[in-house]
Amino acid sequence: MDLTAIPQYAAEAAKAGGPGDASLGMFLYKLAHVPLITVAKVRGRARGGGNELALACDMIFAARENAIFGQFESGTGAFPGAGGIQHLTRRLGRARAIEAITGADDFDADLAERYGWINRALPDAQLDGFVERLAKRIAGFPPAGVRAEKRAINDLTLPQPANVRSDSAIFLSLVALPESRERLDYLANRGLQTSGDLERHLGKAVAGFPG
């Protein structure tokens, strides 16, 4: 997602039925409900919408050496609008979710594992083999039972569509505010969304806005 083009995204979403339903949040809501087991493997930076994509999967496994997770939106005056609030509050608990979301800092794989953000942090060399073995193990079980188990767990742990639509609407309203646009422009002019030092240390960069 190009954060500098969100007004255009919102306009296009409105043509397709409104931002509440034609949104990244509702797409990821549907991903979380597919009748298959989904696994995210992370060996780089998963922040903002990228982290929300990982959270929509059933499990997350990460490379200990180089995976980073974060919801940086608070540092720009915005709001995680595609499931970050919903999933992290359920996974981390209230106090840790407030720390992670309002603090807008980066979490390495080991800390994310301790907080319950991800399933496990593994050495990069072991990540592929571990996930493949687990996937094959689950795939070898009778599928009707696996589907029923996922459906029951979803019923207990996933947000309702109204929650997702509300988060999307709040995100769009906040990201349009002058202060948010100013902060996003400031970061964009210094390397946001491009490979470089600012993206590598975004959790630090969002706290460095002058003023």
Side-chain angles (χ1 to χ4, degrees):
M1 176 184 290
D2 181 354
L3 292 172
T4 65
I6 289 170
Q8 294 95 303
Y9 294 155
E12 289 300 315
K15 296 176 187 177
D21 290 293
S23 67
L24 178 61
M26 286 304 293
F27 170 77
L28 296 178
Y29 172 85
K30 292 175 181 178
L31 171 62
H33 284 82
V34 298
L36 302 167
I37 301 300
T38 56
V39 181
K41 279 193 302 186
V42 179
R43 47 171 39 103
R45 291 176 292 282
R47 301 193 190 95
N51 179 59
E52 289 168 321
L53 170 60
L55 289 170
C57 294
D58 299 322
M59 295 178 279
I60 307 172
F61 299 96
R64 177 168 286 123
E65 296 90 335
N66 46 27
I68 296 291
F69 298 87
Q71 294 290 161
F72 70 95
E73 291 88 348
S74 180
T76 68
F79 180 98
I85 294 269
Q86 302 297 328
H87 290 295
L88 287 177
T89 302
R90 287 166 170 81
R91 286 176 181 239
L92 275 56
R94 179 179 181 274
R96 284 180 168 177
I98 289 175
E99 176 193 351
I101 293 165
T102 66
D105 209 348
D106 288 340
F107 283 63
D108 64 30
D110 285 323
L111 183 56
E113 180 187 45
R114 290 200 298 275
Y115 269 46
W117 195 313
I118 65 174
N119 290 70
R120 300 194 198 192
L122 298 156
D124 187 274
Q126 299 177 19
L127 181 61
D128 291 337
F130 177 88
V131 171
E132 183 176 359
R133 286 190 296 274
L134 178 60
K136 287 181 176 178
R137 178 181 174 86
I138 295 171
F141 297 148
V146 173
R147 286 195 297 269
E149 289 153 4
K150 174 173 175 174
R151 188 164 55 248
I153 293 168
N154 283 353
D155 288 345
L156 291 168
T157 59
L158 290 183
Q160 296 299 308
N163 302 124
V164 179
R165 294 186 182 108
S166 176
D167 285 359
S168 178
I170 293 169
F171 167 75
L172 289 173
S173 67
L174 289 175
V175 81
L177 294 176
E179 184 178 14
S180 293
R181 300 313 312 168
E182 183 182 6
R183 285 175 177 261
L184 284 168
D185 289 344
Y186 172 83
L187 293 169
N189 291 335
R190 284 156 180 79
L192 183 68
Q193 304 184 141
T194 60
S195 180
D197 190 64
L198 184 134
E199 274 289 346
R200 284 191 290 273
H201 305 286
L202 186 57
K204 178 179 179 181
V206 295
F209 185 77

